[in-house]
């Protein structure tokens, strides 16, 4: 299984609350987990999950682990997309090595 490591940055405003959504493309299945700035863990389907306010996020990062499994018999392509407050942060794409395999995406989102 491949492990793909990515880093990206996201600008925050101190008085605003921020929410994370993670989606998987190419008809593949996936789950994610991360710990928010309050120390709470979130696992499974991540849809509009609060990650913190800008004042607490600035200068920190979250580490997200996403396991994407090749369940679509028509392609070995996978992708994972990260959205904060509905704005796309990044999308990463990678092919699995063989049918029914999986890829683990490790993603750091730094807040500036």
């Amino acid at each position: 299984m491949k492990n793909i490591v990515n880093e990206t940055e996201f600008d925050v405003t101190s008085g605003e609350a921020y929410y994370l959504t993670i989606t998987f493309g190419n008809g593949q299945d996936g789950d994610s987990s991360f710990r928010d700035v309050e120390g709470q863990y979130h696992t499974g389907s991540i849809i509009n999950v609060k990650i913190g306010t800008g004042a607490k996020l600035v200068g920190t990062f979250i580490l997200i682990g996403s396991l994407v499994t090749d369940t679509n018999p028509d392609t070995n392509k996978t992708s994972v997309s990260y959205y904060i407050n509905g704005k796309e942060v990044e999308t990463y794409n990678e092919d699995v090595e063989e049918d029914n395999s999986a890829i683990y995406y490790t993603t750091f989102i730094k807040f500036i």
Side-chain angles (χ1 to χ4, degrees):
M1 175 173 39
K2 292 181 186 178
N3 180 25
I4 310 301
V5 179
N6 303 295
E7 291 185 23
T8 190
E9 294 179 341
F10 188 82
D11 289 318
V12 294
T13 304
S14 65
E16 190 170 346
Y18 291 91
Y19 299 84
L20 176 67
T21 295
I22 302 172
T23 62
F24 304 99
N26 305 100
Q28 310 295 16
D29 289 330
D31 283 308
S32 299
S33 66
F34 77 97
R35 186 176 75 146
D36 65 27
V37 295
E38 300 294 331
Q40 291 193 303
Y41 287 91
H42 304 273
T43 61
S45 179
I46 307 296
I47 300 172
N48 210 34
V49 173
K50 186 174 182 180
I51 54 176
T53 61
K56 288 190 176 186
L57 290 171
V58 70
T60 67
F61 68 91
I62 56 173
L63 170 63
I64 305 165
S66 298
L67 181 66
V68 183
T69 305
D70 174 33
T71 57
N72 183 347
D74 297 326
T75 185
N76 285 345
K77 296 184 181 304
T78 71
S79 69
V80 59
S81 299
Y82 304 93
Y83 299 88
I84 295 178
N85 290 5
K87 178 183 176 188
E88 183 176 358
V89 178
E90 290 288 343
T91 294
Y92 300 105
N93 301 283
E94 189 73 27
D95 290 356
V96 293
E97 295 170 335
E98 59 187 48
D99 288 345
N100 303 311
S101 187
I103 293 183
Y104 193 80
Y105 290 88
T106 303
T107 303
F108 295 88
I109 300 178
K110 298 177 184 180
F111 299 101
I112 55 175

